[in-house]
Amino acid sequence: MAVLTALRPIGKGLAFAVVGFLIGAGAATLLTTITDRPATQPVITLGYLFALIGWVLGVGLWDNWAREWFGLPVKNTEAFGWPRYFRFTTDHKTIGVQYLVTFVVLFLLAGLLSVLMRLELMAPGQTIMGAKDFNTTMSLHGIIMIAVAVATFLGGFANFTIPLLIGAEDVAFPRINALSYWIVPPVAVLLILTPFFGGFDTGWTAYPPLAVVNATGGLLFVLAFLTFGVSSILGGLNFLATIIMLRAPGMTWGRLPIFVWSIFAAALISLTATQFVAYGLLMIILDRVVGTAFFDAARGGKPLLYEHIFWFYSHPAVYIMILPGFGVALEVLTHFSRKPLFAYKYVVGAILAIVALSFIVWAHHLYTSGMPSYLHLPFMITTEIISIPTGVIFLAGLGTIWLGRLWLTTPMLFALAFLFNFVIGGVTGIFLADVPTDINLQDNYFVVAHFHYTIMGGEIFALMAGIYYWFPKITGRMHSEALGKVHFWWMFIAYQVTFIPMFWAGIQGMNRRVADYTPELGGINLFISVASFLLAASFLVMVYNLVRAWVRGPKASDNPWRARTLEWQTSSPPPLENFTRPPVVVGHPYDYGVPGSVHSAAAPAGGAGDKETH
Amino acid sequence: MAGATITHAVHNRLAINRLGLWLFIISESFLFSVLLSSRYFLQGVRRPEEVNQPLGLAISIVLLLSSLTAYRGEMAAAYGEQRRFRQNILFTIGLASLFLVGVGIEWKEAFHFFPPSSGYGTLFFTLTGVHAFHVLTGILALLVVFFLGRDGRFTKGNYWGVEGVVKYWHFVDVAWVFIYPTLYLVS
């Protein structure tokens, strides 16, 4: 019975969602009968929109917030203990855990999808599934992983750590924060439903005209993507306001931990650019549901419009993913090198320069799409320029570990691997930025390998670094470092063996997003497939390690890494209001080994000048 | 958590709310900028002759006037003049509804001359539709503010609800200031 009571808000959300769906679907049926149009897509679209509104109202928006608008007293439905994870909770730490657990589960799910893809690609010709199912598998893998890459950092880590890192008691808008999490479950539900509605075969990019005419699964996918966009706009808004307004006394802009800066940058992009993809997806929905002519060339539409709008969001979006990756990696590298972060101010400048540049490089995705050729050169130049700030960040990473006394913990190993992988990802990116080489490499496995070296080799390795780094703080339990290192070496080696051959396969002409290839490529694909299964299996070690530690691991101390930043100066896990005594910041967070330097005054031990022995 | 001691400095809630609203407005202005750009990308400056110019001008004037009454409402709330505040918010809701009726009439005509399935109609209905949706949300927010105001929820020093909604309302008006020439004037 206790379980049922705990889950009541979710039940209420589902009930409201059903009512919402009936209202929306009813209205759509009525409208389509009057206007004599096919009913399926309008019914799904309107039904979903109202179901979404019903869901968020039922799950807690009504009780905790919307009652206010009608002059009624707010009912606080928050809970303590485990039920709080199933509630509309305003505590940023709980929301951070909600995000992290949801998206790590989705990450494993999308990883399984890639295993399915590699099973199909093990041998030329059809092996386990047809081309249509392969397309759906590939597209689902893509969009879920994109969502994971955005939400684990901007939703998970940012939520848990940003208020702690800046010495605040919560985010600026706790209820908006809860809202942006509870918008997410419908996204997952829609995506999981797509295979039952004919799947979708556009990849995560949803290019029209295919995205307008494909099976109804395509509509579900576009609605899910749009919903996720709303969630990340709200998240971006919240973190900008939090970082600008809620810094502890003395936490000046020049003393912000680098992860906070990276989230600030990612939130800026998320707040603004996401509106573009929202409009791009809205156009697809209108073309499908209302019959507008955005992408129908015969009626004056231009599919190229979508590619411009989509990449105006989606190129900056890779920086929403990778900038927090940089942030976590630099954070971890600094703490475990026991040295000040090298060239801190230049790194901040580089992060902000990447934000600015990210808005003027989008058309390098369009070299072969039929865009006017006079646009090739300017976009090639802007894309090349972006390698300067990324190079600055990389050099700052090297400068930080240079002559440092490296403490090779699991998070540190992942952060070092981040540096290694990102060089490969960055250098291979040059061939894709340059028009002459890109025209040959377009849409083949070279692109797949490059992309996975930046986002998986970069961001996902940083994600692992962050998970192992903050796990003791989040759960109050210590994971096994030995198992963590097993996971690291297993994943690192399997990762290289999986993706390095893809560069070669791509140059040999292996197309991406296609279920089949020429028989000559059979050997290399078998090799890649076997390696990828090993890579997938490495995550079992992580799941075992973390679940075991969370359930019955040894209690973690407040500051197991002896790090200086504020989140480690409170208990593990932190109390509801984060700090029992409000912290006052008096110095730079990374001045390890600088005589007499102190980061925060009110916080107890672990500060500067500690005699480190390890 | 009764009894939990608040140990942190009291933040300036009003400043945080204002910043949040401005961030939201920045975000929304990106949406409207891409809406406007898509008109030029797809149709250039082509404009059908059948666009109802007098009606377009009339609803533009109505919407701009509503910004004026909204401003007067906000100022009245700031000075604690409850009656004048409610009157002006009511005026604003009235003018906004008039605007929506105007858009409705315009849509009825447009269905005849350039339906949503045509090149120009696609943009006309999308731009006015997205804007009208914002007007509708604005009206709902104004209604909330009006009824809360009638219950005496806003006082001289505490009227953020009014201020926030009125600022949003100005933004919706400014968006129309760009949409109107884009759809009705350029050629």
Side-chain angles (χ1 to χ4, degrees):
Chain A
M1 278 322 280
V3 174
L4 281 181
T5 322
L7 295 179
R8 206 168 58 196
I10 290 188
K12 198 171 165 190
L14 289 174
F16 276 41
V18 170
V19 174
F21 181 81
L22 292 177
I23 294 172
T29 318
L30 204 67
L31 277 172
T32 47
T33 326
I34 295 169
T35 53
D36 201 24
R37 288 181 54 84
T40 321
Q41 310 229 4
V43 164
I44 287 177
T45 309
L46 274 188
Y48 168 71
L49 287 179
F50 281 84
L52 178 67
I53 294 169
W55 161 255
V56 291
L57 281 176
V59 89
L61 187 69
W62 171 256
D63 280 336
N64 289 283
W65 197 352
R67 288 170 63 93
E68 232 170 56
W69 308 334
F70 298 90
L72 302 167
V74 170
K75 278 193 211 158
N76 192 334
T77 62
E78 302 214 7
F80 298 94
W82 68 267
R84 72 182 189 278
Y85 295 114
F86 299 90
R87 293 292 173 99
F88 191 89
T89 312
T90 51
D91 176 27
H92 70 96
K93 297 181 288 297
T94 309
I95 298 173
V97 173
Q98 286 173 328
Y99 263 111
L100 276 173
V101 171
T102 309
F103 280 95
V104 167
V105 169
L106 284 173
F107 171 76
L108 299 172
L109 203 74
L112 274 181
L113 290 173
S114 72
V115 168
L116 286 181
M117 284 158 69
R118 283 320 310 180
L119 272 173
E120 167 58 33
L121 292 171
M122 251 174 116
Q126 185 176 332
T127 46
I128 62 156
M129 59 176 123
K132 201 166 158 309
D133 291 335
F134 181 85
N135 287 343
T136 302
T137 313
M138 174 271 293
S139 305
L140 271 178
H141 167 76
I143 188 62
I144 296 177
M145 283 300 193
I146 293 286
V148 166
V150 171
T152 45
F153 281 84
L154 206 55
F157 287 152
N159 253 314
F160 194 92
T161 66
I162 292 292
L164 287 166
L165 279 166
I166 63 174
E169 69 275 29
D170 208 322
V171 294
F173 302 106
R175 289 184 296 193
I176 291 182
N177 203 15
L179 177 63
S180 65
Y181 172 74
W182 283 105
I183 291 176
V184 167
V187 177
V189 170
L190 274 189
L191 288 177
I192 291 165
L193 282 178
T194 51
F196 303 103
F197 288 83
F200 65 107
D201 41 14
T202 52
W204 78 279
T205 48
Y207 277 6
L210 180 59
V212 175
V213 297
N214 62 4
T216 310
L219 180 66
L220 297 189
F221 154 62
V222 172
L223 289 169
F225 198 165
L226 188 60
T227 316
F228 183 70
V230 174
S231 166
S232 57
I233 290 172
L234 294 177
L237 191 155
N238 221 333
F239 289 115
L240 284 175
T242 306
I243 296 168
I244 293 172
M245 301 301 292
L246 298 187
R247 282 167 291 133
M251 180 61 88
T252 58
W253 290 98
R255 288 172 183 163
L256 275 190
I258 206 67
F259 180 63
V260 181
W261 269 113
S262 69
I263 287 293
F264 182 80
L268 265 180
I269 299 174
S270 176
L271 178 78
T272 53
T274 314
Q275 292 281 4
F276 272 65
V277 79
Y279 181 52
L281 299 167
L282 177 68
M283 291 192 292
I284 290 178
I285 294 171
L286 289 175
D287 266 15
R288 293 184 76 120
V289 175
V290 185
T292 50
F294 282 108
F295 306 125
D296 183 352
R299 291 182 283 151
K302 289 179 187 167
L304 199 56
L305 171 65
Y306 179 84
E307 294 189 31
H308 278 295
I309 288 176
F310 179 81
W311 287 111
F312 190 88
Y313 160 74
S314 290
H315 197 81
V318 303
Y319 295 103
I320 300 180
M321 304 167 201
I322 199 68
L323 284 176
F326 284 136
V328 170
L330 289 180
E331 194 85 29
V332 168
L333 287 172
T334 310
H335 294 311
F336 292 103
S337 301
R338 289 290 183 263
K339 276 183 64 199
L341 175 59
F342 185 74
Y344 170 88
K345 283 184 180 159
Y346 289 88
V347 174
V348 172
I351 287 174
L352 295 178
I354 289 175
V355 172
L357 286 170
S358 73
F359 283 98
I360 50 169
V361 299
W362 79 90
H364 65 223
H365 293 270
L366 278 71
Y367 287 152
T368 61
S369 67
M371 136 185 116
S373 55
Y374 63 81
L375 287 174
H376 285 173
L377 188 63
F379 279 103
M380 180 170 127
I381 292 170
T382 53
T383 307
E384 298 279 8
I385 288 176
I386 222 165
S387 60
I388 297 172
T390 41
V392 167
I393 294 173
F394 175 74
L395 287 176
L398 283 189
T400 305
I401 56 174
W402 194 262
L403 296 179
R405 288 182 58 193
L406 305 196
W407 184 10
L408 292 177
T409 58
T410 311
M412 181 63 167
L413 289 172
F414 276 105
L416 290 169
F418 170 94
L419 284 184
F420 178 86
N421 293 335
F422 201 78
V423 167
I424 300 177
V427 170
T428 52
I430 295 171
F431 301 98
L432 300 174
D434 285 350
V435 181
T437 39
D438 179 69
I439 285 173
N440 290 297
L441 295 169
Q442 175 81 29
D443 264 344
N444 71 31
Y445 261 67
F446 191 89
V447 180
V448 175
H450 159 74
F451 180 77
H452 283 81
Y453 258 97
T454 55
I455 299 301
M456 187 177 178
E459 201 215 359
I460 297 300
F461 273 76
L463 172 69
M464 295 302 144
I467 287 178
Y468 284 108
Y469 178 55
W470 280 308
F471 185 83
K473 183 53 65 180
I474 293 173
T475 61
R477 307 272 183 164
M478 201 64 204
H479 58 265
S480 152
E481 274 287 289
L483 278 176
K485 283 172 191 167
V486 170
H487 172 214
F488 168 76
W489 286 110
W490 187 345
M491 176 176 162
F492 180 74
I493 293 167
Y495 172 80
Q496 309 298 340
V497 178
T498 306
F499 285 96
I500 286 278
M502 284 191 189
F503 287 114
W504 188 82
I507 293 169
Q508 297 302 309
M510 165 113 183
N511 284 316
R512 73 177 180 145
R513 296 181 165 184
V514 178
D516 199 5
Y517 48 83
T518 54
E520 302 91 82
L521 293 168
I524 188 91
N525 271 296
L526 180 63
F527 182 84
I528 294 173
S529 285
V530 173
S532 79
F533 302 150
L534 288 174
L535 176 59
S538 74
F539 290 99
L540 296 176
V541 182
M542 178 193 79
V543 172
Y544 172 74
N545 186 4
L546 297 187
V547 169
R548 197 189 65 150
W550 203 336
V551 176
R552 54 186 176 93
K555 287 258 182 291
S557 65
D558 289 353
N559 191 358
W561 312 121
R562 299 198 290 283
R564 285 171 48 116
T565 39
L566 284 175
E567 83 271 36
W568 298 107
Q569 316 309 329
T570 183
S571 61
S572 298
L576 188 67
E577 69 277 20
N578 287 351
F579 300 95
T580 41
R581 286 192 297 160
V584 177
V585 177
V586 291
H588 205 271
Y590 301 121
D591 283 345
Y592 287 103
V594 177
S597 87
V598 180
H599 177 44
S600 58
D610 267 6
K611 309 241 171 341
E612 307 289 0
T613 44
H614 43 256
Chain B
M1 280 299 276
T5 45
I6 295 163
T7 53
H8 286 263
V10 177
H11 300 291
N12 187 345
R13 196 64 235 174
L14 185 62
I16 296 172
N17 286 342
R18 281 193 180 133
L19 175 71
L21 182 69
W22 279 110
L23 290 174
F24 179 70
I25 286 175
I26 290 171
S27 177
E28 286 280 281
S29 60
F30 271 71
L31 174 66
F32 281 100
S33 69
V34 68
L35 276 162
L36 295 169
S37 316
S38 67
R39 184 262 198 266
Y40 298 104
F41 190 88
L42 289 179
Q43 291 284 319
V45 292
R46 207 183 65 80
R47 169 168 61 88
E49 283 307 308
E50 295 87 356
V51 177
N52 190 336
Q53 292 293 353
L55 186 56
L57 188 62
I59 59 174
S60 304
I61 292 170
V62 165
L63 199 60
L64 287 180
L65 277 177
S66 78
S67 240
L68 186 69
T69 54
Y71 174 74
R72 287 170 59 86
E74 184 193 345
M75 285 301 109
Y79 285 98
E81 296 172 27
Q82 298 293 336
R83 216 180 118 75
R84 215 151 62 80
F85 148 66
R86 289 202 302 276
Q87 266 174 5
N88 276 295
I89 294 297
L90 213 52
F91 277 145
T92 312
I93 295 169
L95 288 168
S97 312
L98 199 59
F99 173 85
L100 280 189
V101 172
V103 172
I105 298 170
E106 182 70 311
W107 274 31
K108 202 162 174 261
E109 283 180 23
F111 258 110
H112 184 62
F113 294 113
F114 40 89
S117 54
S118 68
Y120 186 78
T122 294
L123 290 157
F124 183 85
F125 280 93
T126 306
L127 263 67
T128 53
V130 170
H131 182 261
F133 177 73
H134 281 80
V135 171
L136 191 65
T137 56
I139 291 177
L140 293 177
L142 284 165
L143 279 170
V144 166
V145 163
F146 174 79
F147 284 111
L148 288 180
R150 215 181 49 177
D151 294 353
R153 297 296 175 94
F154 301 113
T155 55
K156 216 168 171 177
N158 177 21
Y159 63 102
W160 159 250
V162 185
E163 184 193 331
V165 170
V166 168
K167 281 212 172 95
Y168 174 71
W169 188 251
H170 291 321
F171 168 72
V172 173
D173 278 9
V174 171
W176 182 255
V177 168
F178 288 91
I179 292 175
Y180 171 63
T182 303
L183 289 176
Y184 289 82
L185 302 183
V186 294
S187 71

